[in-house]
Amino acid sequence: MTNQLDIVFGALADPTRRAVVEQLTQGPAAVSALHDGHDMALPTFLKHLKVLEESGLVSSTKKGRVRTVHIEAAPLRVMDDWLKRQKDMWEGRLDRLA
């Protein structure tokens, strides 16, 4: 699980990739639509999508010439579970200090 967390947090360490994930929470989007909001060359943007796909945060399907990207919830749940455990631990420690 730690390795998966490392991969997910690593993928989300970049602001471009976080923006893509945030955009995909509104629903699937074509690569061209996702790219429109970013001031970078398409090949550079595609590298960001590749990192997200390799981390499991997104998947894509191709129909004709259009590639559509979808968010994947499972890695986000793993990250959320870890964050909740950390929050609970620190809140407990802070409560004991008070």
Side-chain angles (χ1 to χ4, degrees), residues 18-28 71 76:
R18 286 193 306 274
V20 169
V21 168
E22 190 169 333
Q23 190 173 352
L24 289 172
T25 62
Q26 303 302 312
I71 195 161
L76 294 172

Side-chain angles (χ1 to χ4, degrees), residues 19-35 45 49 57-63 66-73:
V20 169
V21 168
E22 190 169 333
Q23 190 173 352
L24 289 172
T25 62
Q26 303 302 312
V31 169
S32 59
L34 290 170
H35 176 248
F45 184 75
L49 288 181
L57 285 164
V58 303
S59 62
S60 64
T61 56
K62 188 172 182 180
K63 186 172 183 180
V66 178
R67 180 165 297 280
T68 303
V69 182
H70 313 263
I71 195 161
E72 295 294 334

Side-chain angles (χ1 to χ4, degrees), residues 28-46:
V31 169
S32 59
L34 290 170
H35 176 248
D36 282 344
H38 300 278
D39 187 25
M40 64 181 67
L42 181 60
T44 303
F45 184 75
L46 292 174

Side-chain angles (χ1 to χ4, degrees), residues 49-95:
L49 288 181
K50 182 179 179 184
V51 170
L52 289 171
E53 202 154 1
E54 288 174 349
S55 74
L57 285 164
V58 303
S59 62
S60 64
T61 56
K62 188 172 182 180
K63 186 172 183 180
R65 296 180 63 186
V66 178
R67 180 165 297 280
T68 303
V69 182
H70 313 263
I71 195 161
E72 295 294 334
L76 294 172
R77 273 192 223 103
V78 169
M79 184 178 67
D80 186 52
D81 290 345
W82 184 84
L83 288 169
K84 282 180 183 175
R85 286 192 308 275
Q86 299 307 307
K87 180 181 178 233
D88 290 346
M89 177 192 66
W90 282 105
E91 283 179 348
R93 286 181 179 184
L94 292 171
D95 288 345

